[in-house]
């Protein structure tokens, strides 16, 4: 019989973390506290929780939902014209800088895979940056649109690169590109089939009747799409995270409810993801951290500020290309700090690196610690600089 003791402790932590953040008025996102509390109850400290089969399954589902919801946050209407050109160019510069930093760290013996470190350092956590901007009332301002567009690219591309360059199978890059193209083609076919089905009056009426009953048919459909795409990505020799992200991107494209008949769909999906599964992923990440190596080894601890500065250089410097889209140095600095806010990809990609043997557990702990610090420090420094310029709603730049 599967033990649920560890899962129960994780569930309690998931409940307490947001309450503590709110009641104590802590200036950090709740996921930071979830990871820290996970490390506290993990096997290396209090020993109350193990990543047993129950926690592992729930954690995988949490990661899937996290990437599904991240895919749904991309605003395709804004990714066009000058905004797309400049943010895409900035990401290219960022990736070049990140790989260069990775090579330098490899030369001095701090990392084993400079390319994987480059992918990690070129990423931004859209799922963290977007709520920060929303809470600050900046999402509809021009600078907010620029940051969201840049963060969207810096989350999509690293996920694709992880699947192409660091998949767990032994096939070459050419074979993986072929598999990726085949998978994208399959995703498009499925999306067209779903779109055609939704245009059927009979099916549309059935969906409308079942969406707010105990069937919750749209939520079941989203979950099925997530599981199928993740399973097929794995079957195609790619990372399951790519399938989960594509499922969210497909839902974003398909969920165009002009008649406003299912306005609560996104809110319900967020409730299922963030309310049930996503916290398990973050708490389990804390449980699996090599805390003893981090706090007990000066060399491991010294890597944390190195990775934090590297993240800042790789992600913040390229925002200089945003000058035609922003006003004032303060907005540039704020945008750079938010773009350097990254935690999801360091966690996911770092775990892949550990599984492949190209990232040591202590290096992984340093990467996650640097990501945690970026989430705590960078938004706090960025928001006052963005607020210094009076926010005004604008149309997306073209």
């Amino acid at each position: 019989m599967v033990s649920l003791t560890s899962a129960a402790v994780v569930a309690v932590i998931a409940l307490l973390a947001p309450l503590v953040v709110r009641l104590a008025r802590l200036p950090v996102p709740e996921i930071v506290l979830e990871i820290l509390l996970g490390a506290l109850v993990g096997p290396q400290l209090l020993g109350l929780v193990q990543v047993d089969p129950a926690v592992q399954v729930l954690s995988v589902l949490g990661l899937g939902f996290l990437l599904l919801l991240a895919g749904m946050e991309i605003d395709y209407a804004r990714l066009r014209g000058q905004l797309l050109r400049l943010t895409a160019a900035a990401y290219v510069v960022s990736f070049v800088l990140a790989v260069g930093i990775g090579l330098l760290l490899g030369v001095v013996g701090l990392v084993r895979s400079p390319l994987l470190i480059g992918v990690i350092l070129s990423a931004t956590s859209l799922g963290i940056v977007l709520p920060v901007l929303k809470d600050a009332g900046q999402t509809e301002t021009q600078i907010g649109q620029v940051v969201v567009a840049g963060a969207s690219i810096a989350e999509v591309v690293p996920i694709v690169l992880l699947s192409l360059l660091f998949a767990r199978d032994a096939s070459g890059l050419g074979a993986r590109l072929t598999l990726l193209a085949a998978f994208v083609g399959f995703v498009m076919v499925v999306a067209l089939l779903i779109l055609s089905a939704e245009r059927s009056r009979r099916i549309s009426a059935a969906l409308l009747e079942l969406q707010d009953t105990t069937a919750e048919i749209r939520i079941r459909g989203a979950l099925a799409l997530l599981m199928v795409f993740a399973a097929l990505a794995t079957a195609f020799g790619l990372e399951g995270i790519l399938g989960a992200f594509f499922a969210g991107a497909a839902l974003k494209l398909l969920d165009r409810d002009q008649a406003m008949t299912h306005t609560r769909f996104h809110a319900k999906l967020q409730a299922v993801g963030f309310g049930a599964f996503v916290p398990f992923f973050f708490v389990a990440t804390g449980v699996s951290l090599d805390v003893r190596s981090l706090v007990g080894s000066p060399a491991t601890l010294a890597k944390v500020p190195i990775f934090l500065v590297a993240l800042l250089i790789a992600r913040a410097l390229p925002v200089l290309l945003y000058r035609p889209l922003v006003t004032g140095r303060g907005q540039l600095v704020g945008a750079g700090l938010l773009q350097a806010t990254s935690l999801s990809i360091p966690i996911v990609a770092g775990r892949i690196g550990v599984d492949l043997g190209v990232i040591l557990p202590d290096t992984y702990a340093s990467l996650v610690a640097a990501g945690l610090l970026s989430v705590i420090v960078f938004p706090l420094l960025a928001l006052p600089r963005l607020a210094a310029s009076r926010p005004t709603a604008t149309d997306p730049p073209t």
Side-chain angles (χ1 to χ4, degrees):
M1 184 175 181
V2 177
S3 172
L4 295 178
T5 303
S6 291
V9 176
V10 173
V12 171
I13 291 174
L15 171 65
L16 294 177
L19 286 173
V20 172
V21 169
R22 177 57 61 90
L23 294 175
R25 299 186 181 278
L26 300 178
V28 298
E30 62 193 54
I31 62 173
V32 173
L33 192 57
E34 289 168 0
I35 294 175
L36 293 177
L37 290 176
L40 178 64
V41 302
Q44 295 195 10
L45 294 178
L46 297 181
L48 300 177
V49 174
Q50 303 284 337
V51 182
D52 57 18
V55 173
Q56 179 66 27
V57 170
L58 291 168
S59 174
V60 170
L61 285 172
L63 174 59
F65 264 99
L66 179 66
L67 293 170
L68 174 86
L69 293 167
M72 292 187 68
E73 294 292 356
I74 298 175
D75 192 341
Y76 297 100
R78 292 177 176 175
L79 283 175
R80 57 186 174 86
Q82 185 185 35
L83 179 62
L84 176 59
R85 291 193 298 273
L86 291 180
T87 51
Y91 179 78
V92 172
V93 174
S94 180
F95 183 71
V96 171
L97 285 173
V99 172
I101 293 171
L103 288 170
L104 180 61
L105 294 177
V107 168
V108 299
L110 291 181
V111 300
R112 290 184 175 183
S113 176
L115 183 57
L116 180 56
I117 295 298
V119 173
I120 292 172
L121 294 178
S122 70
T124 298
S125 289
L126 175 63
I128 295 172
V129 169
L130 191 60
V132 169
L133 288 172
K134 282 183 177 179
D135 292 342
Q138 291 280 351
T139 50
E140 296 305 318
T141 64
Q142 182 163 314
I143 184 60
Q145 294 174 19
V146 172
V147 172
V148 170
S152 299
I153 293 173
E155 185 156 60
V156 175
V157 178
I159 290 174
V160 174
L161 290 175
L162 285 174
S163 285
L164 285 177
L165 303 175
F166 298 98
R168 291 176 175 83
D169 68 335
S171 58
L173 179 58
R176 290 177 189 168
L177 283 171
T178 303
L179 290 171
L180 177 62
F183 179 66
V184 171
F186 177 83
V187 169
M188 294 176 65
V189 169
V190 172
L192 289 174
L193 289 175
I194 295 174
L195 189 60
S196 299
E198 284 193 334
R199 288 178 177 174
S200 166
R201 291 185 179 180
R202 186 175 180 182
I203 295 177
S204 181
L207 290 173
L208 190 60
E209 291 174 1
L210 294 172
Q211 67 184 12
D212 292 320
T213 68
T214 54
E216 291 291 354
I217 196 66
R218 294 189 186 276
I219 302 302
R220 294 190 189 197
L223 178 59
L225 199 66
L226 165 63
M227 301 298 287
V228 170
F229 277 18
L232 284 172
T234 304
F236 274 84
L238 305 169
E239 287 294 332
I241 57 174
L242 183 65
F245 188 86
F246 271 29
L251 283 173
K252 178 70 172 183
L253 288 172
L254 294 170
D255 185 34
R256 299 181 180 275
D257 185 18
Q258 302 300 325
M260 302 296 286
T261 58
H262 51 274
T263 55
R264 293 188 293 168
F265 170 61
H266 198 177
K268 288 180 179 180
L269 204 54
Q270 284 186 322
V272 174
F274 290 118
F277 296 110
V278 174
F280 273 87
F281 169 66
F282 286 116
V283 178
T285 297
V287 172
S288 61
L289 276 181
D290 190 358
V291 180
R292 290 176 183 171
S293 294
L294 182 62
V295 300
S297 169
T300 302
L301 198 59
K303 292 180 185 178
V304 177
I306 293 175
F307 285 134
L308 188 65
V309 172
L311 189 62
L312 193 60
I313 292 172
R315 291 300 297 140
L317 282 182
V319 302
L320 292 173
L321 295 177
Y322 295 170
R323 282 186 174 179
L325 302 174
V326 302
T327 57
R329 183 179 300 176
Q331 286 195 345
L332 276 176
V333 173
L337 288 167
L338 287 177
Q339 300 250 86
T341 301
S342 183
L343 183 58
S344 305
I345 295 299
I347 291 174
V348 175
R351 174 51 57 189
I352 291 173
V354 172
D355 292 342
L356 293 175
V358 296
I359 289 183
L360 295 174
D362 61 336
T363 301
Y364 175 62
S366 300
L367 275 170
V368 174
L372 282 170
L373 285 176
S374 78
V375 171
I376 295 170
V377 176
F378 294 164
L380 288 176
L381 296 176
L383 291 180
R385 287 163 173 79
L386 296 183
S389 301
R390 183 180 178 183
T392 56
T394 60
D395 293 327
T398 57

